[in-house]
Amino acid sequence: TELVLDLADPRRGERIYDPCFGTGGFLTAAARRITSEPATALTDCRSVQEQSIFGVDPSPANHLIVRARLSLAGIRNPHLRVDLLAEGSTSQFHNFDCIFAVPPFGAGVPPHLIDQCRFRTRTWEAFILQHVMGALRVGGRAAIVLPESVLFRRGAEVGLRRSLQIGRASCRERV
C-alpha cells in the first residue's frame, strides 16, 4: 500500500478516488497522509473533510468498514457508494487528481456494463482501467495494480493498451 501511495503521491486539497475500494487500504492510507499535512486555513480543513475522499464498492459490509476506517484516519464525510459503477450512478465521480485501484483479478464484467466501455472487454481489470482513464483529470495521477496478463491479452484489450500508449503522452508504466 505504501509503495503505491508513494508512486501516486496524494496531497491535501486533491480529490482522491478508489473505484473498487474493498476494505479501504488505499483510501485509509491516503487519508492519513493528507490529514497529517498542516492545514493552511479553516476552509482547508473543511475541504479535506468534505471533498477529498471518494470511493465505490459493491459490498455494503465494505462500505461500513471503510467509513469507520476513514473516520479513524480523520475523514468524517467521505463520498462512498455501494455500487457496481453502473451508468449514471457516478456523475460526481469524475475529474480526480489521484486514483488508486486494485480491481478483482479474473472477475467477469456483468453484460449490462460491457456496453458502457469504449473497448468492450469482459474482464473486470480492463473495465476498471477504462473507468479510471475516464475519471482522471488531465494531469492527474493513477496507480492501478493489475495482473501482468493485462499486458498480453488479445481482443479488445489490444486497443485499450494502444490508447494508453498513444492517447496519453504523459502515461507511464511502473512495474
Side-chain angles (χ1 to χ4, degrees):
T1 302
E2 291 301 317
L3 172 64
V4 173
L5 201 68
D6 289 342
L7 291 171
D9 191 28
R11 295 176 219 126
R12 181 179 279 277
E14 292 185 329
R15 290 169 43 94
I16 300 163
Y17 176 51
D18 187 340
C20 40
F21 59 72
T23 58
F26 287 131
L27 289 179
T28 304
R32 281 192 194 110
R33 184 171 288 192
I34 64 172
T35 56
S36 69
E37 294 176 12
T40 57
L42 180 60
T43 55
D44 185 39
C45 288
R46 197 169 290 136
S47 173
V48 166
Q49 287 295 320
E50 298 173 3
Q51 296 300 319
S52 291
I53 303 292
F54 297 78
V56 178
D57 195 87
S59 168
N62 284 348
H63 179 268
L64 293 174
I65 291 167
V66 174
R67 188 166 289 281
R69 289 183 75 189
L70 288 170
S71 180
L72 292 171
I75 301 293
R76 305 285 184 256
N77 299 310
H79 296 271
L80 302 177
R81 283 219 169 148
V82 177
D83 204 345
L84 261 180
L85 299 175
E87 187 172 329
S89 67
T90 57
S91 58
Q92 76 181 43
F93 289 70
H94 65 282
N95 206 28
F96 292 100
D97 300 291
C98 190
I99 301 176
F100 300 101
V102 181
F105 296 179
V109 177
H112 71 281
L113 294 179
I114 293 172
D115 293 335
Q116 294 180 25
C117 300
R118 177 176 168 205
F119 302 100
R120 296 195 183 345
T121 179
R122 298 186 186 283
T123 66
W124 199 249
E125 305 95 272
F127 177 80
I128 292 293
L129 181 56
Q130 291 181 75
H131 174 73
V132 167
M133 290 168 59
L136 195 62
R137 74 163 176 81
V138 174
R141 302 165 317 282
I144 309 167
V145 179
L146 297 169
E148 62 184 44
S149 60
V150 171
L151 300 172
F152 305 106
R153 288 188 194 131
R154 295 177 185 248
E157 292 184 29
V158 172
L160 177 57
R161 287 191 302 273
R162 275 197 196 113
S163 74
L164 283 171
Q165 294 168 348
I166 296 168
R168 306 235 183 210
S170 64
C171 182
R172 291 185 304 234
E173 172 189 333
R174 295 184 187 181
V175 181

